[in-house]
PDB file of all heavy atoms in Angstrom:
ATOM      1  N   MET A 358      12.249 -11.513  10.181  1.00 98.00           N
ATOM      2  CA  MET A 358      12.262 -10.282   9.470  1.00 98.00           C
ATOM      3  C   MET A 358      13.634  -9.693   9.223  1.00 98.00           C
ATOM      4  O   MET A 358      13.798  -8.770   8.358  1.00 98.00           O
ATOM      5  CB  MET A 358      11.441  -9.292  10.306  1.00 98.00           C
ATOM      6  CG  MET A 358       9.912  -9.636  10.523  1.00 98.00           C
ATOM      7  SD  MET A 358       9.063  -9.639   8.944  1.00 98.00           S
ATOM      8  CE  MET A 358       8.884  -7.888   8.730  1.00 98.00           C
ATOM      9  N   ALA A 359      14.704 -10.168   9.963  1.00 97.00           N
ATOM     10  CA  ALA A 359      15.967  -9.602   9.696  1.00 97.00           C
ATOM     11  C   ALA A 359      16.549  -9.803   8.356  1.00 97.00           C
ATOM     12  O   ALA A 359      17.554  -9.326   7.917  1.00 97.00           O
ATOM     13  CB  ALA A 359      16.937 -10.130  10.794  1.00 97.00           C
ATOM     14  N   ARG A 360      15.880 -10.735   7.663  1.00 97.00           N
ATOM     15  CA  ARG A 360      16.229 -11.039   6.130  1.00 97.00           C
ATOM     16  C   ARG A 360      16.124  -9.850   5.296  1.00 97.00           C
ATOM     17  O   ARG A 360      16.799  -9.580   4.345  1.00 97.00           O
ATOM     18  CB  ARG A 360      15.471 -12.218   5.550  1.00 97.00           C
ATOM     19  CG  ARG A 360      15.829 -13.593   6.177  1.00 97.00           C
ATOM     20  CD  ARG A 360      14.809 -14.613   5.836  1.00 97.00           C
ATOM     21  NE  ARG A 360      15.155 -15.900   6.050  1.00 97.00           N
ATOM     22  CZ  ARG A 360      15.158 -16.619   7.340  1.00 97.00           C
ATOM     23  NH1 ARG A 360      14.870 -15.828   8.389  1.00 97.00           N
ATOM     24  NH2 ARG A 360      15.639 -17.794   7.454  1.00 97.00           N
ATOM     25  N   TRP A 361      15.084  -8.841   5.735  1.00 98.00           N
ATOM     26  CA  TRP A 361      14.812  -7.749   4.808  1.00 98.00           C
ATOM     27  C   TRP A 361      14.915  -6.407   5.500  1.00 98.00           C
ATOM     28  O   TRP A 361      14.979  -5.364   4.793  1.00 98.00           O
ATOM     29  CB  TRP A 361      13.357  -7.930   4.338  1.00 98.00           C
ATOM     30  CG  TRP A 361      13.091  -9.221   3.646  1.00 98.00           C
ATOM     31  CD1 TRP A 361      13.524  -9.564   2.393  1.00 98.00           C
ATOM     32  CD2 TRP A 361      12.559 -10.464   4.209  1.00 98.00           C
ATOM     33  NE1 TRP A 361      13.195 -10.873   2.067  1.00 98.00           N
ATOM     34  CE2 TRP A 361      12.629 -11.444   3.263  1.00 98.00           C
ATOM     35  CE3 TRP A 361      11.991 -10.646   5.534  1.00 98.00           C
ATOM     36  CZ2 TRP A 361      12.081 -12.663   3.556  1.00 98.00           C
ATOM     37  CZ3 TRP A 361      11.531 -11.891   5.757  1.00 98.00           C
ATOM     38  CH2 TRP A 361      11.477 -12.927   4.777  1.00 98.00           C
ATOM     39  N   TYR A 362      15.008  -6.352   6.864  1.00 97.00           N
ATOM     40  CA  TYR A 362      15.047  -5.204   7.601  1.00 97.00           C
ATOM     41  C   TYR A 362      16.098  -5.253   8.686  1.00 97.00           C
ATOM     42  O   TYR A 362      16.394  -6.202   9.138  1.00 97.00           O
ATOM     43  CB  TYR A 362      13.640  -4.886   8.213  1.00 97.00           C
ATOM     44  CG  TYR A 362      12.571  -4.788   7.236  1.00 97.00           C
ATOM     45  CD1 TYR A 362      11.773  -6.025   6.973  1.00 97.00           C
ATOM     46  CD2 TYR A 362      12.101  -3.653   6.744  1.00 97.00           C
ATOM     47  CE1 TYR A 362      10.762  -5.970   6.183  1.00 97.00           C
ATOM     48  CE2 TYR A 362      10.960  -3.625   5.809  1.00 97.00           C
ATOM     49  CZ  TYR A 362      10.266  -4.688   5.579  1.00 97.00           C
ATOM     50  OH  TYR A 362       9.290  -4.661   4.636  1.00 97.00           O
ATOM     51  N   SER A 363      16.510  -4.018   9.040  1.00 97.00           N
ATOM     52  CA  SER A 363      17.430  -3.875  10.205  1.00 97.00           C
ATOM     53  C   SER A 363      16.662  -4.205  11.429  1.00 97.00           C
ATOM     54  O   SER A 363      15.455  -4.169  11.550  1.00 97.00           O
ATOM     55  CB  SER A 363      17.997  -2.445  10.241  1.00 97.00           C
ATOM     56  OG  SER A 363      17.052  -1.549  10.691  1.00 97.00           O
ATOM     57  N   SER A 364      17.470  -4.493  12.565  1.00 97.00           N
ATOM     58  CA  SER A 364      16.700  -4.873  13.806  1.00 97.00           C
ATOM     59  C   SER A 364      15.863  -3.622  14.264  1.00 97.00           C
ATOM     60  O   SER A 364      14.728  -3.819  14.850  1.00 97.00           O
ATOM     61  CB  SER A 364      17.689  -5.075  14.862  1.00 97.00           C
ATOM     62  OG  SER A 364      18.404  -6.361  14.677  1.00 97.00           O
ATOM     63  N   GLY A 365      16.338  -2.356  14.130  1.00 97.00           N
ATOM     64  CA  GLY A 365      15.601  -1.159  14.538  1.00 97.00           C
ATOM     65  C   GLY A 365      14.272  -1.195  13.648  1.00 97.00           C
ATOM     66  O   GLY A 365      13.269  -0.842  14.210  1.00 97.00           O
ATOM     67  N   GLU A 366      14.399  -1.410  12.441  1.00 98.00           N
ATOM     68  CA  GLU A 366      13.182  -1.349  11.605  1.00 98.00           C
ATOM     69  C   GLU A 366      12.202  -2.474  12.003  1.00 98.00           C
ATOM     70  O   GLU A 366      10.893  -2.258  11.964  1.00 98.00           O
ATOM     71  CB  GLU A 366      13.543  -1.589  10.092  1.00 98.00           C
ATOM     72  CG  GLU A 366      14.230  -0.327   9.509  1.00 98.00           C
ATOM     73  CD  GLU A 366      14.833  -0.653   8.078  1.00 98.00           C
ATOM     74  OE1 GLU A 366      15.267  -1.712   7.800  1.00 98.00           O
ATOM     75  OE2 GLU A 366      14.863   0.274   7.287  1.00 98.00           O
ATOM     76  N   VAL A 367      12.695  -3.657  12.301  1.00 98.00           N
ATOM     77  CA  VAL A 367      11.807  -4.681  12.600  1.00 98.00           C
ATOM     78  C   VAL A 367      11.076  -4.306  13.963  1.00 98.00           C
ATOM     79  O   VAL A 367       9.907  -4.614  14.053  1.00 98.00           O
ATOM     80  CB  VAL A 367      12.552  -6.014  12.824  1.00 98.00           C
ATOM     81  CG1 VAL A 367      11.710  -7.130  13.440  1.00 98.00           C
ATOM     82  CG2 VAL A 367      13.170  -6.629  11.566  1.00 98.00           C
ATOM     83  N   LEU A 368      11.753  -3.903  14.923  1.00 98.00           N
ATOM     84  CA  LEU A 368      11.133  -3.605  16.199  1.00 98.00           C
ATOM     85  C   LEU A 368      10.166  -2.436  16.141  1.00 98.00           C
ATOM     86  O   LEU A 368       9.222  -2.378  16.765  1.00 98.00           O
ATOM     87  CB  LEU A 368      12.274  -3.250  17.250  1.00 98.00           C
ATOM     88  CG  LEU A 368      13.121  -4.422  17.675  1.00 98.00           C
ATOM     89  CD1 LEU A 368      14.197  -4.071  18.677  1.00 98.00           C
ATOM     90  CD2 LEU A 368      12.281  -5.587  18.223  1.00 98.00           C
ATOM     91  N   LYS A 369      10.604  -1.448  15.314  1.00 98.00           N
ATOM     92  CA  LYS A 369       9.573  -0.368  15.037  1.00 98.00           C
ATOM     93  C   LYS A 369       8.289  -0.835  14.459  1.00 98.00           C
ATOM     94  O   LYS A 369       7.119  -0.440  14.783  1.00 98.00           O
ATOM     95  CB  LYS A 369      10.190   0.699  14.260  1.00 98.00           C
ATOM     96  CG  LYS A 369      11.136   1.632  15.048  1.00 98.00           C
ATOM     97  CD  LYS A 369      11.611   2.820  14.187  1.00 98.00           C
ATOM     98  CE  LYS A 369      12.467   2.568  13.067  1.00 98.00           C
ATOM     99  NZ  LYS A 369      13.021   3.829  12.332  1.00 98.00           N
ATOM    100  N   MET A 370       8.404  -1.714  13.473  1.00 98.00           N
ATOM    101  CA  MET A 370       7.253  -2.350  12.827  1.00 98.00           C
ATOM    102  C   MET A 370       6.471  -3.100  13.879  1.00 98.00           C
ATOM    103  O   MET A 370       5.136  -2.972  13.783  1.00 98.00           O
ATOM    104  CB  MET A 370       7.745  -3.327  11.747  1.00 98.00           C
ATOM    105  CG  MET A 370       6.586  -3.729  10.837  1.00 98.00           C
ATOM    106  SD  MET A 370       7.110  -5.038   9.522  1.00 98.00           S
ATOM    107  CE  MET A 370       8.167  -3.881   8.502  1.00 98.00           C
ATOM    108  N   ALA A 371       7.045  -3.808  14.747  1.00 98.00           N
ATOM    109  CA  ALA A 371       6.280  -4.728  15.681  1.00 98.00           C
ATOM    110  C   ALA A 371       5.691  -3.919  16.848  1.00 98.00           C
ATOM    111  O   ALA A 371       5.144  -4.453  17.704  1.00 98.00           O
ATOM    112  CB  ALA A 371       7.107  -5.863  16.153  1.00 98.00           C
ATOM    113  N   THR A 372       6.034  -2.581  16.850  1.00 98.00           N
ATOM    114  CA  THR A 372       5.566  -1.762  17.939  1.00 98.00           C
ATOM    115  C   THR A 372       4.792  -0.531  17.433  1.00 98.00           C
ATOM    116  O   THR A 372       3.593  -0.623  17.191  1.00 98.00           O
ATOM    117  CB  THR A 372       6.690  -1.349  18.898  1.00 98.00           C
ATOM    118  OG1 THR A 372       7.714  -0.785  18.128  1.00 98.00           O
ATOM    119  CG2 THR A 372       7.258  -2.588  19.648  1.00 98.00           C
ATOM    120  N   ALA A 373       5.466   0.514  17.127  1.00 98.00           N
ATOM    121  CA  ALA A 373       4.782   1.737  16.754  1.00 98.00           C
ATOM    122  C   ALA A 373       4.110   1.713  15.525  1.00 98.00           C
ATOM    123  O   ALA A 373       3.017   2.209  15.324  1.00 98.00           O
ATOM    124  CB  ALA A 373       5.839   2.886  16.755  1.00 98.00           C
ATOM    125  N   ILE A 374       4.673   1.102  14.470  1.00 98.00           N
ATOM    126  CA  ILE A 374       4.015   1.018  13.143  1.00 98.00           C
ATOM    127  C   ILE A 374       2.739   0.146  13.307  1.00 98.00           C
ATOM    128  O   ILE A 374       1.765   0.531  12.678  1.00 98.00           O
ATOM    129  CB  ILE A 374       4.965   0.482  12.115  1.00 98.00           C
ATOM    130  CG1 ILE A 374       6.123   1.553  11.811  1.00 98.00           C
ATOM    131  CG2 ILE A 374       4.308   0.208  10.807  1.00 98.00           C
ATOM    132  CD1 ILE A 374       7.133   1.171  10.841  1.00 98.00           C
ATOM    133  N   ASN A 375       2.864  -0.959  13.844  1.00 98.00           N
ATOM    134  CA  ASN A 375       1.608  -1.688  14.004  1.00 98.00           C
ATOM    135  C   ASN A 375       0.592  -1.006  14.903  1.00 98.00           C
ATOM    136  O   ASN A 375      -0.608  -1.049  14.545  1.00 98.00           O
ATOM    137  CB  ASN A 375       1.917  -3.099  14.812  1.00 98.00           C
ATOM    138  CG  ASN A 375       2.387  -4.186  13.917  1.00 98.00           C
ATOM    139  OD1 ASN A 375       2.590  -3.957  12.635  1.00 98.00           O
ATOM    140  ND2 ASN A 375       2.725  -5.326  14.356  1.00 98.00           N
ATOM    141  N   GLY A 376       1.059  -0.151  15.794  1.00 98.00           N
ATOM    142  CA  GLY A 376       0.102   0.671  16.577  1.00 98.00           C
ATOM    143  C   GLY A 376      -0.720   1.614  15.628  1.00 98.00           C
ATOM    144  O   GLY A 376      -1.901   2.009  15.822  1.00 98.00           O
ATOM    145  N   GLN A 377       0.063   2.133  14.654  1.00 98.00           N
ATOM    146  CA  GLN A 377      -0.553   3.010  13.691  1.00 98.00           C
ATOM    147  C   GLN A 377      -1.660   2.345  12.939  1.00 98.00           C
ATOM    148  O   GLN A 377      -2.811   2.912  12.685  1.00 98.00           O
ATOM    149  CB  GLN A 377       0.465   3.564  12.730  1.00 98.00           C
ATOM    150  CG  GLN A 377       1.396   4.636  13.290  1.00 98.00           C
ATOM    151  CD  GLN A 377       2.547   4.896  12.291  1.00 98.00           C
ATOM    152  OE1 GLN A 377       2.395   4.701  11.129  1.00 98.00           O
ATOM    153  NE2 GLN A 377       3.677   5.336  12.902  1.00 98.00           N
ATOM    154  N   LEU A 378      -1.448   1.112  12.505  1.00 98.00           N
ATOM    155  CA  LEU A 378      -2.491   0.336  11.832  1.00 98.00           C
ATOM    156  C   LEU A 378      -3.725   0.150  12.712  1.00 98.00           C
ATOM    157  O   LEU A 378      -4.890   0.199  12.174  1.00 98.00           O
ATOM    158  CB  LEU A 378      -2.006  -0.987  11.290  1.00 98.00           C
ATOM    159  CG  LEU A 378      -2.951  -1.856  10.610  1.00 98.00           C
ATOM    160  CD1 LEU A 378      -3.739  -1.243   9.521  1.00 98.00           C
ATOM    161  CD2 LEU A 378      -2.269  -3.044   9.920  1.00 98.00           C
ATOM    162  N   LEU A 379      -3.439  -0.165  14.014  1.00 98.00           N
ATOM    163  CA  LEU A 379      -4.545  -0.466  14.865  1.00 98.00           C
ATOM    164  C   LEU A 379      -5.438   0.769  14.989  1.00 98.00           C
ATOM    165  O   LEU A 379      -6.670   0.638  15.211  1.00 98.00           O
ATOM    166  CB  LEU A 379      -4.059  -0.804  16.303  1.00 98.00           C
ATOM    167  CG  LEU A 379      -3.407  -2.187  16.409  1.00 98.00           C
ATOM    168  CD1 LEU A 379      -2.737  -2.301  17.870  1.00 98.00           C
ATOM    169  CD2 LEU A 379      -4.365  -3.369  16.211  1.00 98.00           C
ATOM    170  N   SER A 380      -4.908   1.958  14.945  1.00 97.00           N
ATOM    171  CA  SER A 380      -5.693   3.189  15.021  1.00 97.00           C
ATOM    172  C   SER A 380      -6.773   3.454  13.928  1.00 97.00           C
ATOM    173  O   SER A 380      -7.642   4.270  14.106  1.00 97.00           O
ATOM    174  CB  SER A 380      -4.698   4.406  15.137  1.00 97.00           C
ATOM    175  OG  SER A 380      -4.146   4.614  13.752  1.00 97.00           O
ATOM    176  N   LEU A 381      -6.669   2.609  12.785  1.00 97.00           N
ATOM    177  CA  LEU A 381      -7.625   2.755  11.814  1.00 97.00           C
ATOM    178  C   LEU A 381      -9.043   2.377  12.282  1.00 97.00           C
ATOM    179  O   LEU A 381      -9.946   2.641  11.514  1.00 97.00           O
ATOM    180  CB  LEU A 381      -7.245   1.869  10.592  1.00 97.00           C
ATOM    181  CG  LEU A 381      -6.032   2.291   9.706  1.00 97.00           C
ATOM    182  CD1 LEU A 381      -5.925   1.310   8.535  1.00 97.00           C
ATOM    183  CD2 LEU A 381      -6.162   3.716   9.385  1.00 97.00           C
ATOM    184  N   SER A 382      -9.067   1.626  13.469  1.00 97.00           N
ATOM    185  CA  SER A 382     -10.326   1.261  13.979  1.00 97.00           C
ATOM    186  C   SER A 382     -11.208   2.432  14.357  1.00 97.00           C
ATOM    187  O   SER A 382     -12.450   2.252  14.627  1.00 97.00           O
ATOM    188  CB  SER A 382     -10.241   0.289  15.195  1.00 97.00           C
ATOM    189  OG  SER A 382      -9.705  -0.970  14.742  1.00 97.00           O
ATOM    190  N   GLY A 383     -10.571   3.595  14.424  1.00 96.00           N
ATOM    191  CA  GLY A 383     -11.287   4.818  14.735  1.00 96.00           C
ATOM    192  C   GLY A 383     -12.208   4.785  15.897  1.00 96.00           C
ATOM    193  O   GLY A 383     -11.897   4.556  17.058  1.00 96.00           O
ATOM    194  N   LYS A 384     -13.480   5.037  15.602  1.00 93.00           N
ATOM    195  CA  LYS A 384     -14.552   5.128  16.646  1.00 93.00           C
ATOM    196  C   LYS A 384     -14.883   3.823  17.306  1.00 93.00           C
ATOM    197  O   LYS A 384     -15.430   3.743  18.347  1.00 93.00           O
ATOM    198  CB  LYS A 384     -15.775   5.690  16.107  1.00 93.00           C
ATOM    199  CG  LYS A 384     -15.590   7.130  15.601  1.00 93.00           C
ATOM    200  CD  LYS A 384     -16.960   7.688  14.995  1.00 93.00           C
ATOM    201  CE  LYS A 384     -16.762   9.172  14.521  1.00 93.00           C
ATOM    202  NZ  LYS A 384     -17.968   9.722  13.901  1.00 93.00           N
ATOM    203  N   ARG A 385     -14.516   2.596  16.676  1.00 96.00           N
ATOM    204  CA  ARG A 385     -14.608   1.297  17.256  1.00 96.00           C
ATOM    205  C   ARG A 385     -13.533   0.860  18.075  1.00 96.00           C
ATOM    206  O   ARG A 385     -13.363  -0.240  18.518  1.00 96.00           O
ATOM    207  CB  ARG A 385     -14.867   0.334  16.181  1.00 96.00           C
ATOM    208  CG  ARG A 385     -15.995   0.722  15.229  1.00 96.00           C
ATOM    209  CD  ARG A 385     -17.428   0.503  15.925  1.00 96.00           C
ATOM    210  NE  ARG A 385     -17.811   1.482  16.868  1.00 96.00           N
ATOM    211  CZ  ARG A 385     -18.241   2.702  16.593  1.00 96.00           C
ATOM    212  NH1 ARG A 385     -18.405   3.114  15.373  1.00 96.00           N
ATOM    213  NH2 ARG A 385     -18.644   3.438  17.567  1.00 96.00           N
ATOM    214  N   ASN A 386     -12.481   1.654  18.297  1.00 97.00           N
ATOM    215  CA  ASN A 386     -11.272   1.433  19.079  1.00 97.00           C
ATOM    216  C   ASN A 386     -11.670   1.383  20.533  1.00 97.00           C
ATOM    217  O   ASN A 386     -11.854   2.482  21.048  1.00 97.00           O
ATOM    218  CB  ASN A 386     -10.139   2.353  18.736  1.00 97.00           C
ATOM    219  CG  ASN A 386      -8.800   1.989  19.383  1.00 97.00           C
ATOM    220  OD1 ASN A 386      -8.690   1.051  20.236  1.00 97.00           O
ATOM    221  ND2 ASN A 386      -7.733   2.727  18.942  1.00 97.00           N
ATOM    222  N   PRO A 387     -11.530   0.198  21.228  1.00 95.00           N
ATOM    223  CA  PRO A 387     -11.836   0.241  22.696  1.00 95.00           C
ATOM    224  C   PRO A 387     -10.628   0.703  23.530  1.00 95.00           C
ATOM    225  O   PRO A 387     -10.750   0.848  24.724  1.00 95.00           O
ATOM    226  CB  PRO A 387     -12.174  -1.261  22.869  1.00 95.00           C
ATOM    227  CG  PRO A 387     -11.330  -2.017  21.872  1.00 95.00           C
ATOM    228  CD  PRO A 387     -11.221  -1.040  20.669  1.00 95.00           C
ATOM    229  N   TYR A 388      -9.476   0.948  22.934  1.00 96.00           N
ATOM    230  CA  TYR A 388      -8.241   1.280  23.595  1.00 96.00           C
ATOM    231  C   TYR A 388      -7.798   2.620  23.060  1.00 96.00           C
ATOM    232  O   TYR A 388      -6.826   2.618  22.269  1.00 96.00           O
ATOM    233  CB  TYR A 388      -7.290   0.125  23.607  1.00 96.00           C
ATOM    234  CG  TYR A 388      -7.834  -1.211  23.800  1.00 96.00           C
ATOM    235  CD1 TYR A 388      -7.905  -2.115  22.831  1.00 96.00           C
ATOM    236  CD2 TYR A 388      -8.236  -1.502  25.055  1.00 96.00           C
ATOM    237  CE1 TYR A 388      -8.494  -3.398  23.076  1.00 96.00           C
ATOM    238  CE2 TYR A 388      -8.736  -2.768  25.378  1.00 96.00           C
ATOM    239  CZ  TYR A 388      -8.900  -3.771  24.267  1.00 96.00           C
ATOM    240  OH  TYR A 388      -9.350  -4.909  24.553  1.00 96.00           O
TER     241      TYR A 388
END
Side-chain angles (χ1 to χ4, degrees):
M358 297 293 288
R360 289 165 167 78
W361 307 281
Y362 301 90
S363 70
S364 295
E366 290 173 322
V367 173
L368 292 179
K369 285 191 288 185
M370 188 183 296
T372 55
I374 292 174
N375 277 1
Q377 292 173 18
L378 177 50
L379 290 174
S380 70
L381 291 186
S382 291
K384 296 177 182 179
R385 303 286 74 79
N386 186 352
Y388 313 111

